[in-house]
Amino acid sequence: MELNKGQTTLTSFAKGYKNEDLIRLRSLWHSSLISSGVSGNMISQIMSSNSDKMKIRSFLVTNQVKSIGNKDTIGTDLEKSSVMVQNYLKNLLKGEFVALIVDGVTFKFSKAIAVLVTCGKLKQPALITTILPDDDEDIEDMDEIPAYDYLQASADILTACGEIDIKIDQIVSIMGDNIIQNKTIANHLKIPQGKCICHSLALVVKKAYNTIPYLDDLIVKASAMITAGGSNIRKRKLTNKNLNPRKMKYYANRFASIMDAIEYYIQHYIAIRLFLLVKTIITII
């Protein structure tokens, strides 16, 4: 079902729907909300809105679909929608050449690795699994948990691909951060590695700005001090002076961000200079 430019196709859908169609719609709706960051505890309290998600909710309520927002139902619907997505990808990617994207993030001392698949038939990459290498509830002693290495990662990636019937000879490349782990995985699976251009360009830009006198102090270190210590106090002070702290930030692995920061500092040089002189952010100038 598609919702285009606020014109819902729910009316045409309603003409021939069956009860199982409504249950499938509810499953996808619950999963869409959860994946968008909406707490399961809040779903039943969501009322009016012009968003597509709320139009679907109104449609379900009108047709007396039960258990909307129910905690147990949400869990069941997540499982159902996961199977639906798997089946959709199986049919769509059958016989297609695909590329894999692997990226990791550390949250609250736990590592999570996302594996996505992409090809010409997909408008955007699809998440096929999330690997939690540190999540081993069967082992109580942390010292006994083995390190998550390229062999385990390779096996988990192939398992995720197998669940949507992707064979290894369909995979034309594995893309990810330019780290030795990803290169080792690609070599082990005998699949070409597609390197991340953003991280590569970031290294080039770092080499370039290291040759410019004072740039490290004036932009890089100053940027780091805006949110140093995890506090937002300096950000609020900058905002009170009609400055945009977000545009003053430099992100080390995003090559264009230092150019944006330089441009903003130049455009607002006087205001930023006065702010620095009263030592509300840093004392390096």
Side-chain angles (χ1 to χ4, degrees):
M1 183 185 306
E2 293 184 357
L3 300 169
N4 299 319
K5 299 180 181 178
Q7 299 298 318
T8 175
T9 59
L10 290 176
T11 302
S12 58
F13 172 77
K15 292 179 181 178
Y17 70 83
K18 299 178 181 178
N19 185 61
E20 54 263 33
D21 295 324
L22 290 172
I23 299 301
R24 291 177 73 249
L25 177 60
R26 186 198 63 197
S27 298
L28 292 169
W29 182 75
H30 275 150
S31 299
S32 175
L33 285 172
I34 294 294
S35 63
S36 299
V38 178
S39 168
N41 296 326
M42 293 298 296
I43 288 178
S44 60
Q45 300 178 38
I46 295 175
M47 301 302 289
S48 61
S49 172
N50 291 323
S51 71
D52 289 341
K53 288 184 175 63
M54 294 306 103
K55 290 176 184 176
I56 294 175
R57 181 186 187 279
S58 299
F59 177 78
L60 291 171
V61 171
T62 300
N63 288 277
Q64 300 180 345
V65 178
K66 298 179 180 180
S67 302
I68 296 175
N70 180 275
K71 184 177 179 181
D72 293 333
T73 305
I74 293 170
T76 302
D77 283 349
L78 287 172
E79 295 178 5
K80 288 181 180 177
S81 62
S82 178
V83 173
M84 280 188 265
V85 171
Q86 280 189 353
N87 291 335
Y88 172 79
L89 290 175
K90 283 180 183 179
N91 294 328
L92 185 70
L93 303 179
K94 187 176 182 179
E96 295 289 325
F97 290 113
V98 302
L100 299 181
I101 303 169
V102 181
D103 201 5
V105 63
T106 300
F107 179 70
K108 291 186 177 180
F109 305 106
S110 295
K111 183 79 172 179
I113 302 170
V115 181
L116 303 94
V117 64
T118 186
C119 75
K121 284 191 173 181
L122 287 169
K123 293 182 179 179
Q124 56 192 21
L127 178 69
I128 58 174
T129 191
T130 302
I131 302 168
L132 303 174
D134 301 326
D135 187 20
D136 198 333
E137 298 179 353
D138 296 330
I139 301 178
E140 296 181 1
D141 188 352
M142 291 292 292
D143 293 333
E144 294 183 7
I145 299 178
Y148 190 78
D149 60 11
Y150 74 94
L151 291 173
Q152 291 173 289
S154 299
D156 287 338
I157 290 170
L158 290 180
T159 298
C161 290
E163 289 176 351
I164 54 174
D165 295 343
I166 292 178
K167 299 177 176 59
I168 196 165
D169 57 5
Q170 291 177 247
I171 306 171
V172 297
S173 72
I174 293 181
M175 296 175 282
D177 296 349
N178 305 331
I179 58 174
I180 192 65
Q181 171 85 339
N182 288 335
K183 182 178 180 180
T184 307
I185 292 171
N187 290 340
H188 177 69
L189 296 175
K190 296 180 172 57
I191 297 172
Q193 181 191 13
K195 295 187 177 180
C196 176
I197 190 171
C198 292
H199 288 79
S200 298
L201 287 174
L203 295 174
V204 174
V205 172
K206 285 179 184 178
K207 276 286 187 181
Y209 77 60
N210 282 339
T211 66
I212 303 174
Y214 304 115
L215 185 60
D216 186 57
D217 281 346
L218 295 176
I219 302 294
V220 179
K221 290 179 181 176
S223 170
M225 288 300 295
I226 292 175
T227 52
S231 170
N232 288 320
I233 293 176
R234 299 183 186 93
K235 291 175 67 174
R236 291 201 296 268
K237 288 182 178 180
L238 285 165
T239 303
N240 290 338
K241 294 294 183 180
N242 295 319
L243 293 169
N244 189 333
R246 183 180 60 82
K247 293 187 176 181
M248 296 171 65
K249 283 288 291 179
Y250 159 66
Y251 301 93
N253 59 353
R254 296 294 179 264
F255 70 94
S257 68
I258 194 166
M259 305 306 297
D260 294 336
I262 290 172
E263 182 180 4
Y264 190 81
Y265 273 67
I266 292 173
Q267 291 175 345
H268 300 82
Y269 174 76
I270 295 177
I272 294 174
R273 178 67 178 173
L274 290 172
F275 195 74
L276 297 176
L277 284 174
V278 296
K279 300 181 180 179
T280 51
I281 293 186
I282 53 176
T283 58
I284 61 173
I285 298 179

